[in-house]
């Protein structure tokens, strides 16, 4: 074994870039093509993969550092050299999926053990969309899989049927580049919308008594999303149809875990942190974890494990207002629950009109996995669980796991 330095490669005309994510730590075992750091500048967004396999010995940079070509990333005890045909400084520039053609994504192309050549951005797309890169016909130089290859594989072209419009002909315009999160979200939502047959179902939930109880919970502070998240997990436990995931035209799988994501607004765009093992946690623990993940999201400190593995998603607009809406399923989830702002409404109870606090909800689901009857059972069952939560005292509800 020998000690090797891994350095910043040629950045394709970019003088310097900022480290926005360090993906490994001293002591980690890495493989060829393991992503080491993520860089971002005014002109580029890229990951640097390792040309070697071995153990990370030391890091020479941290998040926030401004680096340039030739700067040392880390040292590694090499156990297996990279392919001699690929130099660690080789890069290629590819157009982004977004319409802003003035920016490029720069990828460091390294072969994988499966002999599929693709840069980190393409690999991330394949991972998020559940695509086996070996099934994609490659047309790039050296047999690389490009973004255009991915779009052809999916039969998706973001410009098909779109005629460019010169909006400046009617007045002044300002071009605004999308953030990295906005670009990835836009492509993901487009792919899901075009590939998943979705149905939305609306319901009204009486949370009058639950809201009275919730306001008494101050240590920790519990939001309505916390109660909704626990109720969703309980419904998924009662019927595994809600934990299905589409695999192919012949099979689906049922996930035996209860990870639920929630949409969180940040300065860079919408992200979906994931609370793991919701069934194993009480209301107080869930409230604290939601608060912690929300703060990490706003600070830009979420890592990949915080954003992956969801079985279902919550999208709450309760803090803003508005009525029912139709959220888009966050594939590969089978369903997403939209929660709108509650308000007082007159409700008939027998012959009497009562003032009740009503929360609108909207369930969108993959109709290949969940039929209309099960969709209706979900929203009705969720409403009943929320009603039952209000029957517990403060101490009991905080520890409630179901």
């Amino acid at each position: 074994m020998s000690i090797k330095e891994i350095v910043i490669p040629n950045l394709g005309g970019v003088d310097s870039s900022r480290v926005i994510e360090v993906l490994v730590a001293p002591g980690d075992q890495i493989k060829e093509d393991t992503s080491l750091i993520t860089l971002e500048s005014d002109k580029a967004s890229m990951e640097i993969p390792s040309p070697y396999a071995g153990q990370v010995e030391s890091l020479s940079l941290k998040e926030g550092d401004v680096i340039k070509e030739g700067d040392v990333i880390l040292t590694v005890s090499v156990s297996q050299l990279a392919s001699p045909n690929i130099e660690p400084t080789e890069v290629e520039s590819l157009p982004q999926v977004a319409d802003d053609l003035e920016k490029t994504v720069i990828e460091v192309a390294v072969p994988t053990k499966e002999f599929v050549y693709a840069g980190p951005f393409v690999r991330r797309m394949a991972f998020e969309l559940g695509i086996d890169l070996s099934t994609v016909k490659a047309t790039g130089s050296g047999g690389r899989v490009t973004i255009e290859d991915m779009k052809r594989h999916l039969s998706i072209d973001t410009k098909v049927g779109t005629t460019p419009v010169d909006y400046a002909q009617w007045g002044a315009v300002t071009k605004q580049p999308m953030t990295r999160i906005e670009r990835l979200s836009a492509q993901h939502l487009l792919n899901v919308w075009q590939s998943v047959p979705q149905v939305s179902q609306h319901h009204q939930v009486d949370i009058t008594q639950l809201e009275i109880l919730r306001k008494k919970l101050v240590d920790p502070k519990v939001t309505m999303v916390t109660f909704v998240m626990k109720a969703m997990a309980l419904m998924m436990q009662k019927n595994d149809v809600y934990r299905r995931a589409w695999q192919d035209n012949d099979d689906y799988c049922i996930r035996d875990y209860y990870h639920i994501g929630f949409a969180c607004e940040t300065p860079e765009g919408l992200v979906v942190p994931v609370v793991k093992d919701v069934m194993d946690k009480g209301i107080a623990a869930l409230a604290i974890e939601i608060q912690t993940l929300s703060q990490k999201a706003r600070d830009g400190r979420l890592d990949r494990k915080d954003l992956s593995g969801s079985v279902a998603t919550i999208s709450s607009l309760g803090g803003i207002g508005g009525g029912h809406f139709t959220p888009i399923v966050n594939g590969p989830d089978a369903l997403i629950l939209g929660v709108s702002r509650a308000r007082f409404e007159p409700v008939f109870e027998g012959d009497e009109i009562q003032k009740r606090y009503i929360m609108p909800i909207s369930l969108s689901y993959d109709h290949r996995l969940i039929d209309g009857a099960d969709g209706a059972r979900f929203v009705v069952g969720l409403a009943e669980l929320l009603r039952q939560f209000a029957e517990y005292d403060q101490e009991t509800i905080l520890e409630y796991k179901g």
Side-chain angles (χ1 to χ4, degrees), residues 26 60 69 73 94 124 130 151 185 199-200 203 222 260 272 284 291 317 322 364 378 386-387:
S60 301
E69 179 182 352
I73 301 173
L94 295 175
R124 178 177 294 177
K151 291 197 292 187
S185 295
V199 175
S200 292
H203 194 50
V222 179
I260 298 179
V272 183
Q291 292 172 15
L317 299 180
S364 295
F378 188 92
L386 293 177
R387 185 197 65 77

Side-chain angles (χ1 to χ4, degrees), residues 129 156 181-196 198 270 272 327-331 336:
L129 298 174
I156 293 175
I181 290 176
E182 288 172 335
R183 292 194 304 270
L184 291 173
S185 295
Q187 186 62 41
H188 175 65
L189 291 171
L190 175 64
N191 292 337
V192 171
W193 184 254
Q194 293 185 337
S195 62
V196 176
Q198 304 185 39
L270 201 67
V272 183
I328 297 176
V329 174
N330 183 31
I336 181 172

Side-chain angles (χ1 to χ4, degrees), residues 46-60:
M46 64 183 290
E47 289 182 358
I48 305 295
S50 174
Y52 307 117
Q55 178 175 299
V56 177
E57 295 296 323
S58 64
L59 282 170
S60 301

Side-chain angles (χ1 to χ4, degrees), residues 20-252:
I20 61 172
E21 191 175 15
V22 178
L23 306 174
V24 296
D28 286 357
Q29 293 290 332
I30 60 175
K31 302 177 182 179
E32 294 181 29
D33 200 31
T34 295
S35 294
L36 305 175
I37 59 174
T38 304
L39 304 179
E40 191 167 61
S41 70
D42 289 338
K43 293 184 179 180
S45 176
M46 64 183 290
E47 289 182 358
I48 305 295
S50 174
Y52 307 117
Q55 178 175 299
V56 177
E57 295 296 323
S58 64
L59 282 170
S60 301
L61 43 71
K62 62 183 183 303
E63 291 184 10
D65 285 353
V66 176
I67 54 82
K68 61 183 184 301
E69 179 182 352
D71 287 348
V72 176
I73 301 173
L74 54 79
T75 58
V76 59
S77 296
V78 175
S79 58
Q80 181 179 352
L81 292 178
S83 168
N85 297 322
I86 302 295
E87 295 295 328
T89 57
E90 181 181 355
V91 300
E92 61 171 325
S93 296
L94 295 175
Q96 291 186 6
V97 176
D99 289 336
D100 183 1
L101 300 180
E102 294 179 358
K103 288 189 175 182
T104 57
V105 171
I106 300 176
E107 301 182 344
V108 181
V110 185
T112 68
K113 292 183 181 300
E114 295 76 24
F115 304 102
V116 177
Y117 291 75
F121 186 75
V122 171
R123 293 187 184 281
R124 178 177 294 177
M125 286 180 63
F127 174 79
E128 292 180 349
L129 298 174
I131 296 173
D132 181 356
L133 280 175
S134 65
T135 65
V136 180
K137 182 179 179 180
T139 62
S141 61
R144 293 176 178 83
V145 177
T146 68
I147 292 176
E148 295 301 319
D149 295 333
M150 293 283 286
K151 291 197 292 187
R152 276 190 293 271
H153 182 78
L154 293 167
S155 299
I156 293 175
D157 187 338
T158 58
K159 294 188 180 297
V160 170
T162 301
T163 303
V165 177
D166 179 15
Y167 296 101
Q169 64 182 302
W170 297 296
V173 298
T174 301
K175 190 173 184 179
Q176 181 67 44
M178 300 174 73
T179 66
R180 179 169 171 268
I181 290 176
E182 288 172 335
R183 292 194 304 270
L184 291 173
S185 295
Q187 186 62 41
H188 175 65
L189 291 171
L190 175 64
N191 292 337
V192 171
W193 184 254
Q194 293 185 337
S195 62
V196 176
Q198 304 185 39
V199 175
S200 292
Q201 200 145 346
H202 307 300
H203 194 50
Q204 303 264 77
V205 183
D206 187 336
I207 58 168
T208 308
Q209 297 304 122
L210 184 59
E211 178 66 4
I212 293 172
L213 174 62
R214 188 193 69 81
K215 288 182 176 179
K216 297 176 181 178
L217 305 176
V218 293
D219 187 21
K221 181 179 180 181
V222 179
T223 65
M224 192 57 65
V225 167
T226 309
F227 288 121
V228 170
M229 184 177 289
K230 172 56 75 172
M232 288 178 68
L234 289 168
M235 289 302 301
M236 290 189 290
Q237 183 187 54
K238 289 181 178 181
N239 190 344
D240 59 25
V241 68
Y242 307 125
R243 290 182 277 115
R244 290 177 176 175
W246 186 260
Q247 297 249 260
D248 51 45
N249 289 331
D250 297 313
D251 301 288
Y252 58 78

